[in-house]
Amino acid sequence: MVCAGYNSTFALVTVVKSILFYRTNPLHFHLLADEIARRTLSTLFRTWDLPHVNVTFYDAEAWVPRVSWIPNKHYSGVYGLLKLILPDVMREDKVLVLDTDVTVLNDVYQLWKMFEKFSNGQALGLVENQSNWYVKALSYGQRPWPALGRGFNTGVMLMHLRRLRDGNFASSWESVTRNVLKHILETSLADQDVINAMIHENPTIVHRIECTWNIQLSDHTLSDTCYRDSNRINILHWNSPRKQDVHNKHVNEFRKLHRVFLEMDGNLLRKRLFGCDRHEGALSYNESSPCREFEKGATILYRTHPFLLEYEYNVNSPTDVALVTQCSVERIPLLEALSKHWSGTISVALYLTDAEVQNFLEFVRGSADLRARRNIAYHIVYKDGELYPINYLRNTAMLYVSTPFIFQLDVDFLPQFGLYENLMSYIHRLNINESDKVALIVPAFETERYRFMFPIKKEELLKFLKRGILYTFRYHVWTQGHAATNYSLYRNSTDPYEVSWEPDFEPYIVVSKSAPRYDTRFVGFGWNKVSYMTHLTALGYKYIVLPDTFIIHRPHAPSLDIGKFRTNSMYRRCLKKLKDEFVEELVAKYGKTALSKLKKDTKEEKT
């Protein structure tokens, strides 16, 4: 498959899910991808960890010059022509070539077996075009390229690459293309036009495949003449710019078939085909352990899809700051207000099921604020296990940004208006470099009101504190979490001031992108951010409070994980055990002096 850009990766994954669902054999995916798609798909396949599946990537940009000379007005652009150079890109003998807008409804091994039916001279297996484009193109207001009868559709192809190489396929299609371009100035259907022009000159090269292996769904197809009912369909091909909005009397049924794979839990497709061990020495956990939820959460390889939607980053500043955050499905609506308060880059990791991803996409498309933004990077971490993998999500959001600094914030906070510019100004004024071990603290506050006038300046914030509209964050349930910020000093300070780390300190901070990652053993609620601050302290970070900055926590229902923490004593004991192990590891690595204050923190966390 050819895959380029942000918008194509999600479609490719849906195709892959449909293939995996029906497969009975090992698979090898060959993906001709540009840098953007390769970054996403390499992460996705690595974390998907599919048994009996190999993936090979080919650099699409390196091969674009071979086809970029062909004038092409197809919506796929220059990448729609890259299938022409597959015999040169790959050293395989035979491949199945699929567009990313197909839905597979049968075992592709049945398609693969059709190579056995090729006669000696045949090198391409194709389904006849199910529209009259090539015979009546003038009625569409277009000039058709040469084709044999109604021509062939290249969205599903069997390519016998060795025979194509032996037959000098590359020089043949280039010669045919140059000849046609003398009187037709461009292609309308990209590679399909070129391949049909070749077949027109050499009809013996093609092996005709049964039409149900490429049911072409566009507004001008005659696909319903191919089948009596949808049960006989092997591959649906949404070969129209309008995709699922095409006119077809069965289109509602076809949409349902496609949606099955959109919403299917991809984790279920990790099933083994054979009985052999999947991985020797793989991480495991004890099912009988009272702390098994924590232990399992630490071993899960979460299926991860970075950059689900289009993303742009054009800022070139040594002080640029990205806001990184994470959320589950019930917190998605909070992203809208967050985007209004932060104009810079936002990187958000969303913990969702496959079905919830569809709801998320619909939410973004329906939001005037979100759909207009290109500097928000959305990364999907697919649900697995019992506990919310908060630190894995934080790491994911941090990993896929290229800004020199990152502001780590939870999604239920709103930053003050202008905080983005304010933080960059402080980084410049304090002369902080990417290599400096400095964490800038943005003081945190909270309100119990769902609606209130958001303060513009610190002066307004202080008035709201006096009136009881705002409070210092968690002062009444977890004072030690933010006490070291020294709110008393903050009230009257006009200059940044340094504070010392204290046990259980968990402020919201700006650090360099080179700062360490979070410990992913901390899942669910409790000590996940505290562990990070403790790690920074062991590394010798200093903490500077910014006096005219603030964030405000919005009220919401408690999460399931905080409920477990408050009501389950075993949960708290398991967390305490993990916490002690973490501290012991830090002391062993960095020495007792680096964390001497930890000795004071031996009591179990309060509820």
Side-chain angles (χ1 to χ4, degrees), residues 10 17 261-268 303 305 308 327-330 332 350-361 379-385 388 393:
F10 188 60
K17 285 161 72 172
F261 296 106
L262 279 176
E263 299 185 354
M264 179 178 288
D265 184 353
N267 296 325
L268 300 177
R303 185 165 50 105
H305 188 138
L308 181 73
C327 70
S328 53
V329 66
E330 62 272 12
I332 287 174
L350 299 111
Y351 191 53
L352 306 173
T353 65
D354 294 72
E356 288 169 350
V357 170
Q358 300 309 306
N359 296 329
F360 163 70
L361 290 172
H379 319 292
I380 305 300
V381 175
Y382 288 95
K383 282 188 178 179
D384 199 353
Y388 186 71
L393 292 164

mmCIF file of all heavy atoms in Angstrom, residues 10 17 261-268 303 305 308 327-330 332 350-361 379-385 388 393:
data_model
loop_
_atom_site.group_PDB
_atom_site.id
_atom_site.type_symbol
_atom_site.label_atom_id
_atom_site.label_comp_id
_atom_site.label_asym_id
_atom_site.label_seq_id
_atom_site.Cartn_x
_atom_site.Cartn_y
_atom_site.Cartn_z
ATOM 1 N N PHE A 10 -5.011 6.737 9.176
ATOM 2 C CA PHE A 10 -6.166 6.136 9.834
ATOM 3 C C PHE A 10 -6.925 5.232 8.868
ATOM 4 O O PHE A 10 -7.389 4.155 9.242
ATOM 5 C CB PHE A 10 -7.083 7.233 10.378
ATOM 6 C CG PHE A 10 -8.201 6.712 11.248
ATOM 7 C CD1 PHE A 10 -7.924 6.006 12.399
ATOM 8 C CD2 PHE A 10 -9.522 6.931 10.909
ATOM 9 C CE1 PHE A 10 -8.938 5.524 13.209
ATOM 10 C CE2 PHE A 10 -10.548 6.450 11.706
ATOM 11 C CZ PHE A 10 -10.257 5.741 12.859
ATOM 12 N N LYS A 17 -7.088 -3.690 9.633
ATOM 13 C CA LYS A 17 -7.969 -4.409 10.557
ATOM 14 C C LYS A 17 -8.882 -5.375 9.809
ATOM 15 O O LYS A 17 -9.112 -6.508 10.259
ATOM 16 C CB LYS A 17 -8.789 -3.418 11.386
ATOM 17 C CG LYS A 17 -7.975 -2.739 12.481
ATOM 18 C CD LYS A 17 -8.628 -1.472 12.991
ATOM 19 C CE LYS A 17 -9.834 -1.732 13.828
ATOM 20 N NZ LYS A 17 -10.343 -0.495 14.464
ATOM 21 N N PHE A 261 -15.247 -2.311 11.059
ATOM 22 C CA PHE A 261 -13.796 -2.319 11.206
ATOM 23 C C PHE A 261 -13.274 -0.990 11.752
ATOM 24 O O PHE A 261 -12.246 -0.967 12.434
ATOM 25 C CB PHE A 261 -13.138 -2.665 9.867
ATOM 26 C CG PHE A 261 -13.495 -4.054 9.415
ATOM 27 C CD1 PHE A 261 -14.381 -4.245 8.377
ATOM 28 C CD2 PHE A 261 -12.985 -5.159 10.062
ATOM 29 C CE1 PHE A 261 -14.744 -5.521 7.972
ATOM 30 C CE2 PHE A 261 -13.340 -6.436 9.678
ATOM 31 C CZ PHE A 261 -14.221 -6.625 8.627
ATOM 32 N N LEU A 262 -13.981 0.094 11.484
ATOM 33 C CA LEU A 262 -13.613 1.354 12.123
ATOM 34 C C LEU A 262 -13.651 1.213 13.642
ATOM 35 O O LEU A 262 -12.748 1.676 14.356
ATOM 36 C CB LEU A 262 -14.587 2.460 11.708
ATOM 37 C CG LEU A 262 -14.388 3.150 10.360
ATOM 38 C CD1 LEU A 262 -15.516 4.139 10.133
ATOM 39 C CD2 LEU A 262 -13.055 3.881 10.310
ATOM 40 N N GLU A 263 -14.691 0.577 14.139
ATOM 41 C CA GLU A 263 -14.924 0.516 15.590
ATOM 42 C C GLU A 263 -14.398 -0.758 16.239
ATOM 43 O O GLU A 263 -14.424 -0.868 17.465
ATOM 44 C CB GLU A 263 -16.423 0.661 15.861
ATOM 45 C CG GLU A 263 -16.997 1.981 15.366
ATOM 46 C CD GLU A 263 -18.450 2.187 15.738
ATOM 47 O OE1 GLU A 263 -19.055 1.241 16.283
ATOM 48 O OE2 GLU A 263 -18.985 3.285 15.491
ATOM 49 N N MET A 264 -13.923 -1.710 15.460
ATOM 50 C CA MET A 264 -13.449 -2.974 16.025
ATOM 51 C C MET A 264 -12.243 -2.753 16.939
ATOM 52 O O MET A 264 -11.331 -1.988 16.611
ATOM 53 C CB MET A 264 -13.076 -3.936 14.897
ATOM 54 C CG MET A 264 -12.538 -5.278 15.377
ATOM 55 S SD MET A 264 -12.187 -6.363 13.981
ATOM 56 C CE MET A 264 -13.870 -6.746 13.479
ATOM 57 N N ASP A 265 -12.230 -3.419 18.062
ATOM 58 C CA ASP A 265 -11.109 -3.343 18.994
ATOM 59 C C ASP A 265 -9.888 -4.004 18.363
ATOM 60 O O ASP A 265 -9.817 -5.214 18.225
ATOM 61 C CB ASP A 265 -11.474 -4.047 20.309
ATOM 62 C CG ASP A 265 -10.380 -3.933 21.366
ATOM 63 O OD1 ASP A 265 -9.285 -3.428 21.045
ATOM 64 O OD2 ASP A 265 -10.623 -4.350 22.511
ATOM 65 N N GLY A 266 -8.928 -3.187 17.966
ATOM 66 C CA GLY A 266 -7.737 -3.718 17.310
ATOM 67 C C GLY A 266 -6.920 -4.641 18.181
ATOM 68 O O GLY A 266 -6.148 -5.471 17.678
ATOM 69 N N ASN A 267 -7.074 -4.535 19.514
ATOM 70 C CA ASN A 267 -6.335 -5.433 20.407
ATOM 71 C C ASN A 267 -6.773 -6.885 20.226
ATOM 72 O O ASN A 267 -5.983 -7.812 20.445
ATOM 73 C CB ASN A 267 -6.533 -5.016 21.867
ATOM 74 C CG ASN A 267 -5.968 -3.644 22.155
ATOM 75 O OD1 ASN A 267 -4.951 -3.253 21.590
ATOM 76 N ND2 ASN A 267 -6.628 -2.893 23.012
ATOM 77 N N LEU A 268 -8.013 -7.094 19.820
ATOM 78 C CA LEU A 268 -8.512 -8.456 19.622
ATOM 79 C C LEU A 268 -7.857 -9.120 18.413
ATOM 80 O O LEU A 268 -7.916 -10.349 18.273
ATOM 81 C CB LEU A 268 -10.031 -8.435 19.431
ATOM 82 C CG LEU A 268 -10.846 -7.867 20.602
ATOM 83 C CD1 LEU A 268 -12.323 -7.850 20.255
ATOM 84 C CD2 LEU A 268 -10.608 -8.681 21.871
ATOM 85 N N ARG A 303 -1.297 -0.043 22.301
ATOM 86 C CA ARG A 303 -1.371 0.281 20.874
ATOM 87 C C ARG A 303 -1.506 1.797 20.741
ATOM 88 O O ARG A 303 -2.418 2.403 21.304
ATOM 89 C CB ARG A 303 -2.559 -0.446 20.259
ATOM 90 C CG ARG A 303 -2.706 -0.313 18.762
ATOM 91 C CD ARG A 303 -3.673 -1.351 18.218
ATOM 92 N NE ARG A 303 -4.926 -1.381 18.955
ATOM 93 C CZ ARG A 303 -6.079 -0.887 18.509
ATOM 94 N NH1 ARG A 303 -6.141 -0.319 17.327
ATOM 95 N NH2 ARG A 303 -7.167 -0.978 19.232
ATOM 96 N N HIS A 305 -1.311 5.339 18.255
ATOM 97 C CA HIS A 305 -1.404 5.949 16.923
ATOM 98 C C HIS A 305 -1.104 7.442 17.047
ATOM 99 O O HIS A 305 -2.002 8.250 17.307
ATOM 100 C CB HIS A 305 -2.806 5.745 16.345
ATOM 101 C CG HIS A 305 -2.943 6.166 14.915
ATOM 102 N ND1 HIS A 305 -3.647 5.431 13.997
ATOM 103 C CD2 HIS A 305 -2.488 7.238 14.224
ATOM 104 C CE1 HIS A 305 -3.606 6.030 12.817
ATOM 105 N NE2 HIS A 305 -2.906 7.139 12.942
ATOM 106 N N LEU A 308 -3.024 11.484 14.735
ATOM 107 C CA LEU A 308 -4.226 10.967 14.070
ATOM 108 C C LEU A 308 -4.722 11.933 13.009
ATOM 109 O O LEU A 308 -5.197 11.511 11.954
ATOM 110 C CB LEU A 308 -5.333 10.736 15.105
ATOM 111 C CG LEU A 308 -6.632 10.173 14.564
ATOM 112 C CD1 LEU A 308 -6.467 8.699 14.202
ATOM 113 C CD2 LEU A 308 -7.765 10.328 15.571
ATOM 114 N N CYS A 327 -6.133 12.837 28.110
ATOM 115 C CA CYS A 327 -7.500 12.732 28.608
ATOM 116 C C CYS A 327 -8.147 11.435 28.139
ATOM 117 O O CYS A 327 -7.664 10.778 27.220
ATOM 118 C CB CYS A 327 -8.344 13.932 28.167
ATOM 119 S SG CYS A 327 -8.722 13.996 26.412
ATOM 120 N N SER A 328 -9.244 11.090 28.792
ATOM 121 C CA SER A 328 -10.086 9.965 28.393
ATOM 122 C C SER A 328 -11.327 10.528 27.720
ATOM 123 O O SER A 328 -11.482 11.747 27.585
ATOM 124 C CB SER A 328 -10.454 9.113 29.616
ATOM 125 O OG SER A 328 -11.011 9.927 30.624
ATOM 126 N N VAL A 329 -12.238 9.656 27.318
ATOM 127 C CA VAL A 329 -13.346 10.081 26.468
ATOM 128 C C VAL A 329 -14.244 11.117 27.144
ATOM 129 O O VAL A 329 -14.714 12.065 26.495
ATOM 130 C CB VAL A 329 -14.169 8.857 25.995
ATOM 131 C CG1 VAL A 329 -14.870 8.157 27.168
ATOM 132 C CG2 VAL A 329 -15.171 9.254 24.922
ATOM 133 N N GLU A 330 -14.453 10.982 28.455
ATOM 134 C CA GLU A 330 -15.390 11.898 29.111
ATOM 135 C C GLU A 330 -14.812 13.310 29.262
ATOM 136 O O GLU A 330 -15.546 14.264 29.517
ATOM 137 C CB GLU A 330 -15.798 11.362 30.492
ATOM 138 C CG GLU A 330 -14.687 11.208 31.492
ATOM 139 C CD GLU A 330 -13.991 9.867 31.411
ATOM 140 O OE1 GLU A 330 -14.233 9.136 30.424
ATOM 141 O OE2 GLU A 330 -13.215 9.539 32.329
ATOM 142 N N ILE A 332 -12.979 14.809 26.772
ATOM 143 C CA ILE A 332 -12.739 15.384 25.447
ATOM 144 C C ILE A 332 -13.336 16.786 25.297
ATOM 145 O O ILE A 332 -12.692 17.684 24.737
ATOM 146 C CB ILE A 332 -13.254 14.434 24.338
ATOM 147 C CG1 ILE A 332 -12.317 13.224 24.215
ATOM 148 C CG2 ILE A 332 -13.366 15.149 23.001
ATOM 149 C CD1 ILE A 332 -12.813 12.154 23.261
ATOM 150 N N LEU A 350 -4.874 10.823 23.857
ATOM 151 C CA LEU A 350 -6.243 10.452 24.222
ATOM 152 C C LEU A 350 -6.332 8.945 24.434
ATOM 153 O O LEU A 350 -5.890 8.164 23.583
ATOM 154 C CB LEU A 350 -7.217 10.876 23.113
ATOM 155 C CG LEU A 350 -7.253 12.369 22.830
ATOM 156 C CD1 LEU A 350 -6.643 12.658 21.460
ATOM 157 C CD2 LEU A 350 -8.667 12.903 22.880
ATOM 158 N N TYR A 351 -6.925 8.556 25.558
ATOM 159 C CA TYR A 351 -7.051 7.139 25.911
ATOM 160 C C TYR A 351 -8.452 6.683 25.531
ATOM 161 O O TYR A 351 -9.424 6.957 26.248
ATOM 162 C CB TYR A 351 -6.803 6.971 27.408
ATOM 163 C CG TYR A 351 -6.649 5.543 27.872
ATOM 164 C CD1 TYR A 351 -5.738 4.691 27.273
ATOM 165 C CD2 TYR A 351 -7.414 5.057 28.938
ATOM 166 C CE1 TYR A 351 -5.581 3.387 27.723
ATOM 167 C CE2 TYR A 351 -7.261 3.759 29.393
ATOM 168 C CZ TYR A 351 -6.345 2.931 28.778
ATOM 169 O OH TYR A 351 -6.188 1.635 29.219
ATOM 170 N N LEU A 352 -8.564 5.994 24.390
ATOM 171 C CA LEU A 352 -9.870 5.707 23.814
ATOM 172 C C LEU A 352 -9.951 4.279 23.283
ATOM 173 O O LEU A 352 -8.928 3.664 22.970
ATOM 174 C CB LEU A 352 -10.156 6.667 22.652
ATOM 175 C CG LEU A 352 -10.045 8.169 22.909
ATOM 176 C CD1 LEU A 352 -10.203 8.935 21.610
ATOM 177 C CD2 LEU A 352 -11.071 8.621 23.936
ATOM 178 N N THR A 353 -11.173 3.775 23.166
ATOM 179 C CA THR A 353 -11.404 2.552 22.405
ATOM 180 C C THR A 353 -11.471 2.926 20.932
ATOM 181 O O THR A 353 -11.598 4.103 20.573
ATOM 182 C CB THR A 353 -12.720 1.872 22.813
ATOM 183 O OG1 THR A 353 -13.814 2.744 22.442
ATOM 184 C CG2 THR A 353 -12.784 1.615 24.312
ATOM 185 N N ASP A 354 -11.427 1.917 20.068
ATOM 186 C CA ASP A 354 -11.549 2.184 18.635
ATOM 187 C C ASP A 354 -12.865 2.880 18.316
ATOM 188 O O ASP A 354 -12.912 3.791 17.486
ATOM 189 C CB ASP A 354 -11.448 0.873 17.844
ATOM 190 C CG ASP A 354 -10.075 0.235 17.958
ATOM 191 O OD1 ASP A 354 -9.764 -0.297 19.043
ATOM 192 O OD2 ASP A 354 -9.318 0.280 16.989
ATOM 193 N N ALA A 355 -13.930 2.464 18.978
ATOM 194 C CA ALA A 355 -15.241 3.072 18.724
ATOM 195 C C ALA A 355 -15.276 4.515 19.220
ATOM 196 O O ALA A 355 -15.876 5.390 18.579
ATOM 197 C CB ALA A 355 -16.343 2.250 19.388
ATOM 198 N N GLU A 356 -14.629 4.790 20.346
ATOM 199 C CA GLU A 356 -14.611 6.155 20.877
ATOM 200 C C GLU A 356 -13.825 7.101 19.993
ATOM 201 O O GLU A 356 -14.077 8.314 19.999
ATOM 202 C CB GLU A 356 -14.038 6.143 22.297
ATOM 203 C CG GLU A 356 -14.983 5.543 23.324
ATOM 204 C CD GLU A 356 -14.331 5.278 24.670
ATOM 205 O OE1 GLU A 356 -13.086 5.372 24.775
ATOM 206 O OE2 GLU A 356 -15.068 4.959 25.622
ATOM 207 N N VAL A 357 -12.889 6.564 19.230
ATOM 208 C CA VAL A 357 -12.143 7.416 18.299
ATOM 209 C C VAL A 357 -13.096 8.060 17.296
ATOM 210 O O VAL A 357 -12.935 9.224 16.924
ATOM 211 C CB VAL A 357 -11.050 6.607 17.575
ATOM 212 C CG1 VAL A 357 -10.433 7.421 16.430
ATOM 213 C CG2 VAL A 357 -9.963 6.186 18.560
ATOM 214 N N GLN A 358 -14.109 7.302 16.860
ATOM 215 C CA GLN A 358 -15.076 7.856 15.913
ATOM 216 C C GLN A 358 -15.837 9.030 16.528
ATOM 217 O O GLN A 358 -16.052 10.060 15.884
ATOM 218 C CB GLN A 358 -16.065 6.765 15.482
ATOM 219 C CG GLN A 358 -15.413 5.580 14.796
ATOM 220 C CD GLN A 358 -14.500 6.016 13.666
ATOM 221 O OE1 GLN A 358 -14.899 6.748 12.767
ATOM 222 N NE2 GLN A 358 -13.251 5.591 13.723
ATOM 223 N N ASN A 359 -16.219 8.889 17.791
ATOM 224 C CA ASN A 359 -16.909 9.986 18.485
ATOM 225 C C ASN A 359 -15.996 11.206 18.624
ATOM 226 O O ASN A 359 -16.436 12.351 18.486
ATOM 227 C CB ASN A 359 -17.391 9.529 19.865
ATOM 228 C CG ASN A 359 -18.423 8.420 19.779
ATOM 229 O OD1 ASN A 359 -19.189 8.356 18.822
ATOM 230 N ND2 ASN A 359 -18.438 7.540 20.764
ATOM 231 N N PHE A 360 -14.730 10.943 18.905
ATOM 232 C CA PHE A 360 -13.766 12.027 19.025
ATOM 233 C C PHE A 360 -13.622 12.778 17.701
ATOM 234 O O PHE A 360 -13.626 14.019 17.667
ATOM 235 C CB PHE A 360 -12.410 11.480 19.468
ATOM 236 C CG PHE A 360 -11.265 12.425 19.238
ATOM 237 C CD1 PHE A 360 -11.153 13.581 19.990
ATOM 238 C CD2 PHE A 360 -10.326 12.177 18.248
ATOM 239 C CE1 PHE A 360 -10.114 14.471 19.768
ATOM 240 C CE2 PHE A 360 -9.290 13.056 18.018
ATOM 241 C CZ PHE A 360 -9.189 14.197 18.771
ATOM 242 N N LEU A 361 -13.496 12.040 16.598
ATOM 243 C CA LEU A 361 -13.357 12.676 15.286
ATOM 244 C C LEU A 361 -14.574 13.532 14.960
ATOM 245 O O LEU A 361 -14.459 14.639 14.427
ATOM 246 C CB LEU A 361 -13.146 11.614 14.212
ATOM 247 C CG LEU A 361 -11.791 10.894 14.243
ATOM 248 C CD1 LEU A 361 -11.785 9.730 13.258
ATOM 249 C CD2 LEU A 361 -10.653 11.858 13.938
ATOM 250 N N HIS A 379 -2.876 12.282 19.607
ATOM 251 C CA HIS A 379 -2.281 10.947 19.595
ATOM 252 C C HIS A 379 -3.222 9.983 20.329
ATOM 253 O O HIS A 379 -3.597 10.250 21.477
ATOM 254 C CB HIS A 379 -0.915 10.945 20.275
ATOM 255 C CG HIS A 379 -0.072 12.140 19.934
ATOM 256 N ND1 HIS A 379 0.438 12.354 18.674
ATOM 257 C CD2 HIS A 379 0.319 13.211 20.688
ATOM 258 C CE1 HIS A 379 1.117 13.485 18.666
ATOM 259 N NE2 HIS A 379 1.058 14.018 19.871
ATOM 260 N N ILE A 380 -3.573 8.892 19.685
ATOM 261 C CA ILE A 380 -4.491 7.927 20.296
ATOM 262 C C ILE A 380 -3.705 6.810 20.966
ATOM 263 O O ILE A 380 -2.841 6.189 20.347
ATOM 264 C CB ILE A 380 -5.439 7.323 19.245
ATOM 265 C CG1 ILE A 380 -6.180 8.430 18.491
ATOM 266 C CG2 ILE A 380 -6.435 6.378 19.917
ATOM 267 C CD1 ILE A 380 -7.021 9.338 19.338
ATOM 268 N N VAL A 381 -4.011 6.563 22.231
ATOM 269 C CA VAL A 381 -3.545 5.368 22.937
ATOM 270 C C VAL A 381 -4.785 4.525 23.188
ATOM 271 O O VAL A 381 -5.724 4.977 23.866
ATOM 272 C CB VAL A 381 -2.844 5.735 24.267
ATOM 273 C CG1 VAL A 381 -2.476 4.470 25.040
ATOM 274 C CG2 VAL A 381 -1.601 6.591 23.986
ATOM 275 N N TYR A 382 -4.810 3.337 22.612
ATOM 276 C CA TYR A 382 -6.024 2.520 22.675
ATOM 277 C C TYR A 382 -6.149 1.815 24.019
ATOM 278 O O TYR A 382 -5.165 1.314 24.573
ATOM 279 C CB TYR A 382 -6.036 1.513 21.530
ATOM 280 C CG TYR A 382 -6.299 2.165 20.194
ATOM 281 C CD1 TYR A 382 -5.245 2.532 19.360
ATOM 282 C CD2 TYR A 382 -7.597 2.454 19.786
ATOM 283 C CE1 TYR A 382 -5.484 3.153 18.138
ATOM 284 C CE2 TYR A 382 -7.843 3.077 18.568
ATOM 285 C CZ TYR A 382 -6.784 3.418 17.749
ATOM 286 O OH TYR A 382 -7.031 4.037 16.553
ATOM 287 N N LYS A 383 -7.361 1.782 24.519
ATOM 288 C CA LYS A 383 -7.624 1.246 25.856
ATOM 289 C C LYS A 383 -7.213 -0.213 25.983
ATOM 290 O O LYS A 383 -7.472 -1.023 25.097
ATOM 291 C CB LYS A 383 -9.114 1.387 26.197
ATOM 292 C CG LYS A 383 -9.529 2.791 26.613
ATOM 293 C CD LYS A 383 -10.957 2.803 27.108
ATOM 294 C CE LYS A 383 -11.376 4.197 27.569
ATOM 295 N NZ LYS A 383 -12.776 4.234 28.035
ATOM 296 N N ASP A 384 -6.615 -0.509 27.128
ATOM 297 C CA ASP A 384 -6.206 -1.874 27.449
ATOM 298 C C ASP A 384 -5.947 -1.909 28.952
ATOM 299 O O ASP A 384 -5.321 -1.011 29.495
ATOM 300 C CB ASP A 384 -4.936 -2.241 26.672
ATOM 301 C CG ASP A 384 -4.707 -3.737 26.590
ATOM 302 O OD1 ASP A 384 -5.452 -4.498 27.242
ATOM 303 O OD2 ASP A 384 -3.789 -4.163 25.862
ATOM 304 N N GLY A 385 -6.427 -2.935 29.635
ATOM 305 C CA GLY A 385 -6.207 -3.026 31.069
ATOM 306 C C GLY A 385 -7.266 -2.292 31.875
ATOM 307 O O GLY A 385 -8.195 -1.699 31.334
ATOM 308 N N TYR A 388 -6.063 3.582 34.306
ATOM 309 C CA TYR A 388 -5.711 4.651 33.370
ATOM 310 C C TYR A 388 -4.194 4.827 33.338
ATOM 311 O O TYR A 388 -3.574 5.163 34.356
ATOM 312 C CB TYR A 388 -6.386 5.938 33.833
ATOM 313 C CG TYR A 388 -6.263 7.125 32.935
ATOM 314 C CD1 TYR A 388 -6.937 7.171 31.719
ATOM 315 C CD2 TYR A 388 -5.492 8.223 33.308
ATOM 316 C CE1 TYR A 388 -6.850 8.290 30.892
ATOM 317 C CE2 TYR A 388 -5.398 9.351 32.497
ATOM 318 C CZ TYR A 388 -6.083 9.375 31.293
ATOM 319 O OH TYR A 388 -5.991 10.483 30.486
ATOM 320 N N LEU A 393 0.553 8.031 28.921
ATOM 321 C CA LEU A 393 -0.101 9.057 28.117
ATOM 322 C C LEU A 393 0.704 10.356 28.136
ATOM 323 O O LEU A 393 0.884 11.008 27.096
ATOM 324 C CB LEU A 393 -1.515 9.302 28.638
ATOM 325 C CG LEU A 393 -2.500 8.149 28.432
ATOM 326 C CD1 LEU A 393 -3.722 8.327 29.317
ATOM 327 C CD2 LEU A 393 -2.915 8.037 26.976
#
